[in-house]
Amino acid sequence: MEAPTYSSKQVAEMLGVTPKSIPTELRKDAYGPEDVWELRTTLNKFPPTAGLRRQLFLNFKGGTGKTSLSTSYAWRLAELGYAVLLIDLDSQGHATKCLGYEGEDFEKTLLDVLVRKTPLAQVVQKSTLPNLDFIPSNLSMSTVDLALMPMAGREFKLRNALKDVEAQYDFIVFDAPPSFGLLNLNALMAANDLFVPVLADFLSFHGLKLLFETVQSLEEDLNHVLDHVFIVVNSFNATFKLAKEALEALQTHYPEYLLPTIIRQCTKFAQASSEGRPVFVADPTSKGANDIQAMLDNVLPRLVAAHAAAVKAGTATKAG
């Protein structure tokens, strides 16, 4: 995937300034990612800190659009000025593909880190955004669960591996496969926040129930409590009666977790993912892009406020 270009209006929006406030000598007809980062640094326009957030996108049910959502979410965080590491946990390598890369082109994956003790920094790859790194995945990752099985402290391998690089990032985003095994258990144990993409259908309820039971068992058995759980309704079509009924059921049964912003069904969003591009590159004016931005506008202030309160109370940790 070629590096995106941005108009002055897009750049101003990402920096949180007006186009006219950009110094004349720094104005261009089109900006590349490096230009935007240089301009952000020059103007000292960085987003408010939320501490270090480790965020997992997971649903045990497949087909919820989890990877399209997580990769575009991570991409937009980077466009807004956060330092982001996206970790592809799925052996199919879909998150890697959504960034415009082929997993088979990379010699090393998280398997080498968790099983062969390769330092995580040696597996990190650079994307076309200067502040978005990623860890690729390919079919070799399909053996991770089996390889972790006999290891001591197997649930904490990922959390411990992150210690070498986490100080470099504001957000670490995990894209997980739709299953439960030792790799996803590692991701849950490493995460502060859990995003659960769901479709507005009643099949989603079974997956949600199973996932919440798993989260509860982590609290009871491994003493790991997630800071936030966000349920995100994805690919919503308001013209379907069944979808509206399912949404109402989600609002009834999971009101404390359900995000008020909904990701609407968007052909351009789906097409962008299949082409190996985040929706913000393919069409930043699409419904999908607007809805993910709305989701960020809802989530980020909560995280920033929670971090500020923790700092004030003296309880903030390295993990936010």
Side-chain angles (χ1 to χ4, degrees):
M1 182 180 70
E2 295 183 1
T5 57
Y6 302 100
S7 67
S8 58
K9 181 180 178 181
Q10 289 175 302
V11 171
E13 181 187 9
M14 289 188 289
L15 297 180
V17 300
T18 62
K20 290 183 178 180
S21 67
I22 298 176
T24 305
E25 66 274 15
L26 299 177
R27 293 178 188 173
K28 296 184 178 185
D29 293 331
Y31 298 79
E34 295 289 348
D35 298 324
V36 177
W37 189 252
E38 184 179 349
L39 185 59
R40 185 183 293 280
T41 303
T42 301
L43 299 179
N44 194 29
K45 288 295 182 180
F46 291 93
T49 182
L52 168 63
R53 306 308 307 174
R54 297 187 293 258
Q55 302 186 315
L56 172 62
F57 283 72
L58 172 65
N59 192 326
F60 294 152
K61 180 183 181 298
T64 61
K66 169 186 53 59
T67 299
S68 300
L69 188 59
S70 64
T71 50
S72 286
Y73 172 89
W75 182 275
R76 188 56 174 173
L77 280 173
E79 286 189 331
L80 294 175
Y82 291 103
V84 182
L85 175 64
L86 175 65
I87 300 181
D88 192 348
L89 300 174
D90 194 337
S91 62
Q92 296 184 78
H94 287 168
T96 305
K97 291 177 182 177
C98 282
L99 290 182
Y101 302 90
E102 291 295 332
E104 301 306 323
D105 292 339
F106 298 97
E107 181 182 347
K108 293 182 179 180
T109 67
L110 201 61
L111 172 72
D112 297 273
V113 176
L114 301 181
V115 178
R116 298 167 187 155
K117 299 183 179 180
T118 301
L120 194 69
Q122 294 183 18
V123 186
V124 172
Q125 304 293 328
K126 296 290 184 182
S127 77
T128 53
L129 295 185
N131 53 320
L132 173 61
D133 297 339
F134 69 100
I135 293 180
S137 182
N138 55 42
L139 286 175
S140 68
M141 284 283 288
S142 61
T143 63
V144 167
D145 278 352
L146 189 61
L148 287 173
M149 189 70 71
M151 293 185 178
R154 57 195 181 189
E155 302 93 345
F156 307 101
K157 293 293 184 182
L158 180 54
R159 180 197 287 180
N160 292 333
L162 288 170
K163 292 177 181 178
D164 290 338
V165 303
E166 62 185 12
Q168 303 172 32
Y169 301 102
D170 301 306
F171 286 85
I172 297 175
V173 179
F174 307 99
D175 181 68
S179 60
F180 185 73
L182 281 173
L183 183 59
N184 277 350
L185 177 58
N186 265 265
L188 280 165
M189 292 301 297
N192 308 119
D193 309 318
L194 174 63
F195 285 81
V196 189
V198 300
L199 301 181
D201 61 41
F202 287 96
L203 291 175
S204 294
F205 281 89
H206 178 67
L208 275 177
K209 182 174 181 294
L210 184 60
L211 184 55
F212 274 94
E213 288 174 353
T214 302
V215 169
Q216 184 177 359
S217 69
L218 293 184
E219 294 179 4
E220 295 172 353
D221 300 335
L222 295 172
N223 195 32
H224 179 64
V225 180
L226 292 162
D227 294 337
H228 304 93
V229 178
F230 302 113
I231 297 175
V232 187
V233 176
N234 196 19
S235 194
F236 182 73
N237 189 334
T239 64
F240 292 167
K241 181 182 177 182
L242 185 61
K244 289 192 287 187
E245 291 175 349
L247 177 60
E248 290 172 0
L250 285 166
Q251 291 168 337
T252 300
H253 294 284
Y254 297 99
E256 68 270 43
Y257 303 112
L258 187 65
L259 283 176
T261 50
I262 291 170
I263 313 300
R264 293 167 290 177
Q265 192 174 66
C266 177
T267 303
K268 291 182 179 179
F269 193 2
Q271 182 180 349
S273 299
S274 67
E275 294 173 350
R277 295 189 296 167
V279 69
F280 290 96
V281 175
D283 189 349
T285 64
S286 65
K287 289 189 295 184
N290 288 332
D291 290 346
I292 291 176
Q293 181 62 59
M295 182 179 84
L296 279 162
D297 290 341
N298 184 276
V299 169
L300 281 176
R302 298 195 207 181
L303 301 179
V304 170
H307 177 68
V311 170
K312 186 176 181 180
T315 57
T317 65
K318 191 178 180 181

